Amino acid sequence: MNNPVYINGEFMEYEAARIDLEDRGYQFADGVYEVINSYNGKPFRMIEHFERLKKSAAALEIKVSDYGQLQADAEELIRRSGFTDASLYLQITRGTEPRSHAYSDDLTPNIVMTVKELKNHPDEYYQKGVKAITLPDERWSRCYIKTIALLPNVLAKKKAKRAGAFEAIMVRDGFITEGTSSNLFIVRDERIITPPATNYILNGITRRVILEEAAKLGFTVLEESISLGELFEADEVFLTGTTTEVMPVVEIDGGVIKDGKPGKITGKLFDHYRGLLG
Ligand code: PDD
C-alpha cells in the first residue's frame, strides 16, 4: 500500500478512508491521541504510549475493547507503511451519534491511525538552539489527559511562530507548565529540573526518558516548580517531546539564556537520547 491508514480494525488506502460527519471528535474534540515514533522499524516506548493512551481514554470514559489488538495493529500499520523511520498518529474519539453534548453510554469509539515518514527538525535547531516566547497557560485543569481538544495549544504555537520562535512556554500563576507540544527542563548549577507531573502538564514519555537517563548518567534530577524568574536565570533551558527530542532553547522573549548557546548538559542529553533511538 502507498499510504496505508487504519480505521476501526481495517487497513486501507488513505483515499478510501471515511469518518462520519457526526463523529464526536469532529464536533466536540471528544477524543484522545498519541504520537509514536518508530526508528529502524522499531516503535519507541510503545508500551508507555499505550499506558498513557489507556489512562487518557479512561479519564474521559472512552471504552476501547482490545488495546492489545490495537497495539498489534499499530505495529502492523508501521510495517505496511514501509518507512524506516515513521511517525504514527493514533486517535480515538468517543464515537458517532447525532450531535448532543451529553453522550450515550454505549458508543463504539472511532479509532484512526495514520503514519508518515519521520522528518526530523533541521540539525541547525539542535546545534544553535531555538527561540521561545512565554504566554499565559489558558488551558483547562486536566492537561494530563492527551486530548485532541488542543485549541489553546494551537493558538499559542501560532503566536510563537509569528514571533519567529519555535515554541511557546506556558505560564500558570507565575510558574512554568510546559510547551504547547513539549515539556520543559532547566539546568541550574548542574542540576536538571522540570516541573512536577501534576494535572497541569502532560507527563511526556520523552520527559520520563530524560529523567531516567539523566539520573543514570549521574546527574541530580529534580521535579520542582519553576518560576518565570528561575527560567530566565537558568544556565540551560531545553524542551523534550516525541517530535522535539531534546531541543536547546537559547532565547526567551528576546532575552538570551546565559551566553545564548546550547548548554553542555543539554547537548549531552541530546546525544544520549539520539543514541537510544536505534
Ligand atoms: N505532543 N506536552 C504537550 C502539551 C504535548 O502535546 C506533548 C507531545 C508533550 C511531549 O510528550 P511526549 O514526550 O510523550 O511526546 C508534552 C505531541 C508530540 C503532539 O501533539 O504532536
Side-chain angles (χ1 to χ4, degrees), residues 3-278:
N3 190 1
V5 302
Y6 168 101
I7 300 187
N8 297 330
E10 281 181 49
F11 296 92
M12 61 190 79
E13 280 295 332
Y14 188 91
E15 289 69 26
R18 293 282 176 275
I19 280 286
D20 198 290
L21 285 179
E22 295 208 286
D23 171 66
R24 290 184 60 94
Y26 185 54
Q27 294 183 332
F28 292 109
D30 188 352
V32 296
Y33 77 107
E34 284 292 329
V35 177
I36 305 167
N37 282 355
S38 175
Y39 303 90
N40 276 324
K42 277 193 285 167
F44 185 68
R45 300 281 174 146
M46 183 74 123
I47 293 166
E48 287 90 336
H49 279 284
F50 264 76
E51 283 307 313
R52 185 172 66 188
L53 179 67
K54 281 181 210 169
K55 283 190 187 141
S56 295
L60 301 185
E61 301 183 316
I62 294 174
K63 295 176 200 89
V64 173
S65 59
D66 191 346
Y67 278 106
Q69 184 59 50
L70 184 57
Q71 190 176 321
D73 290 343
E75 283 160 7
E76 174 63 12
L77 187 68
I78 291 168
R79 202 189 57 71
R80 287 186 189 212
S81 79
F83 298 129
T84 310
D85 295 339
S87 182
L88 179 90
Y89 177 73
L90 191 174
Q91 173 175 298
I92 305 177
T93 62
R94 191 178 302 283
T96 304
E97 67 177 339
R99 186 178 182 279
S100 157
H101 285 65
Y103 46 87
S104 302
D105 291 326
D106 55 354
L107 288 181
T108 304
N110 285 321
I111 307 181
V112 171
M113 291 190 279
T114 55
V115 62
K116 295 205 165 75
E117 184 164 24
L118 181 62
K119 297 255 185 324
N120 287 331
H121 291 297
D123 287 345
E124 197 194 350
Y125 287 19
Y126 299 98
Q127 286 156 5
K128 294 193 177 156
V130 295
K131 296 177 187 176
I133 58 167
T134 60
L135 285 177
D137 193 334
E138 293 178 333
R139 298 174 299 163
W140 69 336
S141 56
R142 300 181 75 194
C143 305
Y144 60 95
I145 304 171
K146 200 162 171 60
T147 159
I148 59 171
L150 286 169
L151 261 187
N153 309 55
V154 166
L155 295 174
K157 184 78 107 188
K158 187 67 187 175
K159 276 192 185 159
K161 294 284 167 207
R162 283 213 177 104
F166 174 80
E167 180 62 296
I169 298 167
M170 297 183 283
V171 183
R172 195 185 283 260
D173 300 329
F175 289 91
I176 305 308
T177 52
E178 59 185 329
T180 65
S181 61
S182 58
N183 291 112
L184 181 130
F185 286 72
I186 64 168
V187 179
R188 189 79 202 258
D189 300 329
E190 311 227 320
R191 295 175 318 157
I192 297 167
I193 311 167
T194 195
T198 63
N199 54 320
Y200 290 118
I201 72 160
L202 183 81
N203 189 357
I205 306 301
T206 323
R207 173 189 180 278
R208 295 183 226 170
V209 171
I210 291 301
L211 283 173
E212 278 166 30
E213 296 295 323
K216 279 191 211 159
L217 291 173
F219 290 106
T220 301
V221 290
L222 299 166
E223 292 179 78
E224 279 178 4
S225 299
I226 300 169
S227 68
L228 200 50
E230 285 165 331
L231 176 70
F232 288 108
E233 283 161 20
D235 297 329
E236 302 180 25
V237 176
F238 65 89
L239 302 165
T240 64
T242 298
T243 44
T244 312
E245 302 184 285
V246 178
M247 179 78 75
V249 177
V250 292
E251 188 183 312
I252 303 175
D253 293 341
V256 290
I257 301 299
K258 278 285 160 185
D259 59 359
K261 295 196 180 107
K264 284 203 176 66
I265 293 177
T266 305
K268 197 168 182 177
L269 292 172
F270 170 75
D271 290 341
H272 186 77
Y273 182 76
R274 276 272 168 104
L276 298 173
L277 303 179

